[in-house]
Amino acid sequence: MLPVVPIQVPEALVASLVECHGTDGRVWAEGLPALAAATADRWGLRPDGPPAHGAVALVLPVRRADGSRAVLKLQRVDEETAGEPLALRAWGGRGAVRLPDHDPGTGSMLLERLDPARSLLALPDDRAATLVLADLLAELTGHRAPPGLRTLAEVADGLLAEVPAARERLAGEDDRRLLADLAAALREVRPEPGDRLLHWDLHYGNVLAPTAPGPRAPWLAIDPKPLAGDPGFELLPALGNRWSDLAVTGDLPRALRLRFDLLTDRLALDRPRAVRWTLARVLQNVLWDLADGGSVIDGTQRTIAEALSGREDGSRITRPGR
Ligand SMILES: Nc1ncnc2c1ncn2[C@@H]1O[C@H](COP(=O)(O)OP(=O)(O)O)[C@@H](O)[C@H]1O
Ligand SMILES: [Mg+2]
């Protein structure tokens, strides 16, 4: 029922899909109008506003047959996105967007409509926004992960396996030392990978307000790339939010540590373990950059790693040049 006029797939989404998935991404983007039409037909949806998108998903505002508002989210199913419906079902609308329907064949999801103009990015008070994230993370990770999700143990083993080749790609000795320290931090916590339901991508842009005041919580998470694991692995997206807010304080490492402490307090996490899991997450970002052809560790990742160093007993994170 959907495209009375066929949908236009935003150019920026096509570019991002090509960047993430190469030719497969382009082919998938070309099939989006037909997929949107078929899915809307099956679920009795009609268009209700301009499309939105992130890095990988097309999100179409729709009306359901009963007139209620929803969005249709279309994204490729891959190891990161496959678990989204499982996680949303497990949360059942508590702390996260509701999922009224889902097609396992195509990965298409019918989601509760939230207000895309009101994400946490629009909340000017950085501390208040971090507290919202902390409360959401506490609620979301309060659940045991349902069976069938990828696990942090698998992710951790995959990261550690990549380290030797990544080391060869790094040009500088300081960077090689930092890589070794990040890997060492991950090895220390790897034996206890945890069993919580993790969102994995909870940054300000992935928290939206409901469309109107009512019975729903004031802020809800969207867009999980879920994992079963330790909540310490959840903190990095919250630390890196709105970097300019940290920079204007004049003491970036201190501002990062304040965020970290606020998150770990609210989540009642063991801080030394949370540091190590956060360093593991820095390692994940570093390995991605290197896989994309980089040969240095990004300054933001280094700043986070160094800011947290000394927060765990016997830290081996080095501080070159100091
Ligand atoms: N439930 C929703 N209600 C309203 N808008 C949404 C909803 N889910 C996503 N959006 C909009 O679509 C954008 C991309 O969706 P998202 O799930 O974050 O996908 P991506 O994985 O591509 O980042 C969001 O930033 C938001 O603007
Ligand atoms: Mg998103």
Side-chain angles (χ1 to χ4, degrees), residues 8-238:
Q8 292 290 322
V9 181
E11 270 310 310
L13 175 60
V14 179
S16 170
L17 282 165
V18 170
E19 193 185 325
C20 294
H21 304 296
T23 311
D24 282 0
R26 182 176 298 283
V27 169
W28 193 79
E30 281 165 6
L32 270 171
L35 176 61
T39 312
D41 203 36
R42 174 149 22 98
W43 285 338
L45 310 174
R46 54 199 166 79
D48 191 34
H53 67 90
V56 293
L58 180 66
V59 177
L60 303 166
V62 293
R63 294 268 180 176
R64 304 177 72 183
D66 64 4
S68 62
R69 296 197 284 184
V71 299
L72 176 59
K73 177 169 175 173
L74 306 172
Q75 66 185 359
R76 281 174 88 244
V77 178
D78 58 30
E79 62 170 10
E80 272 191 7
T81 61
E84 179 165 352
L86 264 179
L88 293 178
R89 287 256 150 80
W91 288 320
R94 289 180 302 279
V97 66
R98 287 200 175 106
L99 176 72
D101 216 335
H102 163 236
D103 173 24
T106 60
S108 307
M109 284 177 283
L110 188 67
L111 298 168
E112 166 188 21
R113 174 104 57 101
L114 302 173
D115 184 350
R118 286 195 301 141
S119 79
L120 275 186
L121 286 168
L123 201 64
D125 180 340
D126 191 55
R127 186 180 150 79
T130 303
L131 276 172
V132 171
L133 277 188
D135 285 344
L136 280 177
L137 283 176
E139 172 146 37
L140 299 176
T141 62
H143 294 246
R144 183 190 289 271
L149 282 186
R150 66 193 178 126
T151 67
L152 181 51
E154 295 155 10
V155 170
D157 291 345
L159 296 177
L160 290 172
E162 283 178 49
V163 170
R167 185 178 187 284
E168 298 309 311
R169 268 180 244 129
L170 283 173
E173 201 40 51
D174 287 345
D175 278 352
R176 288 182 171 196
R177 203 173 307 128
L178 178 55
L179 180 77
D181 289 341
L182 297 174
L186 172 53
R187 275 190 210 99
E188 286 182 55
V189 282
R190 164 65 185 86
E192 286 182 61
D195 67 353
R196 300 289 90 194
L197 175 50
L198 309 186
H199 181 290
W200 186 83
D201 198 21
L202 203 66
H203 55 75
Y204 287 174
N206 276 343
V207 178
L208 302 182
T211 48
R216 298 293 275 140
W219 296 104
L220 295 160
I222 61 166
D223 199 17
K225 311 273 190 282
L227 275 178
D230 188 298
F233 203 62
E234 286 280 48
L235 307 182
L236 191 64

